[in-house]
Amino acid sequence: TKKVKMRKIHLLLATATIYLCLPAAECVFEKTIESFLKELSVRMCHPIPNLGLPALDPLTVNHAETAMDNKYLIDFTGSIDNFKVHGLSDFVINKLSINIVPGVTRSTINVTFPYTYLKSIYTAKGSLAYILNLAGDGNAETTITDFNFEISWRIKASIGPLAITALKIDMLLGDLKINFDNLLEEERINNFVHALVNEMGVELLGDIWNYEQPTAIDKVETIINSKLPDLLKLITGGNGGEGPPVFDGVEPDCKSE
Ligand SMILES: *[C@@H]1O[C@H](CO)[C@@H](O)[C@H](O)[C@H]1NC(C)=O
């Protein structure tokens, strides 16, 4: 009977939203999400324990390593130290429209990260297809300009827990530049690879994304649906002037203005 009750609450919630989102009335969900994101962005230099998040701006990984043992002709061991990503809290919301009515109308969120900067000390050793020898060791830097994505979905028309369906993710990349100290043993090839990525990186990533998209989207949809009830609770939980209690104890002091 607890389940039945939850269903009734969802139905009520959906019905309530229909009325709240009638033209001329302001949509409560957009407002709530917008203020949640705003409260989040000014706290992203701190970990947020209630969300299980580490500090995100800068996002820091002290040490990590990985190896690929001749899979796909790549023989590789690599590590990163003092890895930092800057700029994740500078997101701009271009579009946000939420429709919680099941069926036809899509919800959309469109976000831009104007400038993201990754820096790390790295090692990359091994060979690619037995031809290219990696000799990587030193600083690695990557800058990403105007990374924009748009996610849209519909609410699943079914009895049961609130779920999304028909997820769509589109991405646009303004520019991508890399600089890895001594990545490849041979200098000419090293220069060539850097030039290739710096000239073509945007297109290359686009191709990879188009190729991997169906699998990625299925995975993301599953993850979202498994977390959706908790996520809604976190975002909508309380709306006093101080922001949702999920931010309790985390100072909103990350942006000095
Ligand atoms: C996001 O919105 C902007 C402005 O409406 C649009 O130009 C852009 O194409 C959208 N992004 C994606 C990835 O569709």
Side-chain angles (χ1 to χ4, degrees), residues 160-173:
L162 192 63
I164 64 160
T165 183
L167 181 68
K168 241 180 76 188
I169 305 178
D170 290 304
M171 300 198 211
L172 293 169
L173 200 56

Side-chain angles (χ1 to χ4, degrees), residues 106 150-153 165-170 213 217 221:
R106 298 182 79 83
E150 183 167 306
I151 304 178
S152 73
W153 66 89
T165 183
L167 181 68
K168 241 180 76 188
I169 305 178
D170 290 304
Q213 195 170 10
I217 286 200
E221 205 173 278

Side-chain angles (χ1 to χ4, degrees), residues 6-257:
M6 277 313 286
R7 275 176 209 164
K8 274 200 185 135
I9 290 172
H10 285 149
L11 204 65
L12 263 175
L13 204 67
T15 318
T17 317
I18 298 175
Y19 290 109
L20 290 171
C21 292
L22 282 175
E26 290 208 85
C27 272
V28 158
F29 272 89
E30 280 86 345
K31 286 252 140 132
T32 311
I33 293 174
E34 242 165 62
S35 80
F36 174 83
L37 291 174
K38 218 166 118 202
E39 297 293 336
L40 178 68
S41 76
V42 292
R43 290 172 170 86
M44 282 170 70
C45 62
H46 304 296
I48 302 173
N50 287 347
L51 288 172
L53 290 176
L56 291 172
D57 198 0
L59 172 67
T60 305
V61 178
N62 287 327
H63 178 80
E65 41 195 281
T66 180
M68 268 178 107
D69 207 359
N70 252 330
K71 214 176 160 193
Y72 312 117
L73 297 179
I74 300 174
D75 180 24
F76 176 78
T77 58
S79 69
I80 51 173
D81 281 280
N82 201 13
F83 172 88
K84 279 189 171 37
V85 184
H86 293 268
L88 292 181
S89 69
D90 297 331
F91 57 81
V92 179
I93 313 281
N94 306 306
K95 203 190 301 173
L96 178 65
S97 72
I98 303 293
N99 277 289
I100 173 154
V101 187
V104 200
T105 319
R106 298 182 79 83
S107 296
T108 305
I109 180 161
N110 177 318
V111 179
T112 301
F113 291 91
Y115 185 77
T116 314
Y117 174 66
L118 290 75
K119 190 171 169 39
S120 178
I121 303 200
Y122 88 108
T123 65
K125 309 274 175 197
S127 69
L128 308 180
Y130 308 110
I131 300 170
L132 289 179
N133 286 325
L134 290 167
D137 208 335
N139 287 312
E141 291 173 322
T142 304
T143 57
I144 298 167
T145 316
D146 285 333
F147 173 59
N148 168 248
F149 66 89
E150 183 167 306
I151 304 178
S152 73
W153 66 89
R154 283 188 279 123
I155 296 294
K156 206 169 189 169
S158 73
I159 315 168
L162 192 63
I164 64 160
T165 183
L167 181 68
K168 241 180 76 188
I169 305 178
D170 290 304
M171 300 198 211
L172 293 169
L173 200 56
D175 196 20
L176 170 79
K177 289 276 179 285
I178 63 161
N179 184 21
F180 284 54
D181 285 351
N182 331 303
L183 179 60
L184 294 149
E185 220 167 58
E186 175 140 8
E187 196 188 332
R188 278 180 315 158
I189 299 178
N190 190 43
N191 294 342
F192 171 74
V193 168
H194 275 85
L196 181 73
V197 173
N198 289 334
E199 292 298 321
M200 301 266 307
V202 173
E203 280 100 291
L204 287 175
L205 278 181
D207 285 349
I208 295 173
W209 173 243
N210 286 335
Y211 182 73
E212 291 288 343
Q213 195 170 10
T215 345
I217 286 200
D218 275 355
K219 282 188 189 149
V220 173
E221 205 173 278
T222 310
I223 293 172
I224 291 179
N225 281 334
S226 71
K227 310 246 181 233
L228 198 58
D230 287 340
L231 209 65
L232 281 179
K233 237 183 284 164
L234 284 171
I235 293 177
T236 56
N239 40 9
E242 288 299 301
V246 63
F247 295 124
D248 273 355
V250 185
E251 291 295 318
D253 59 0
C254 296
K255 307 248 177 217
S256 47
E257 269 162 286

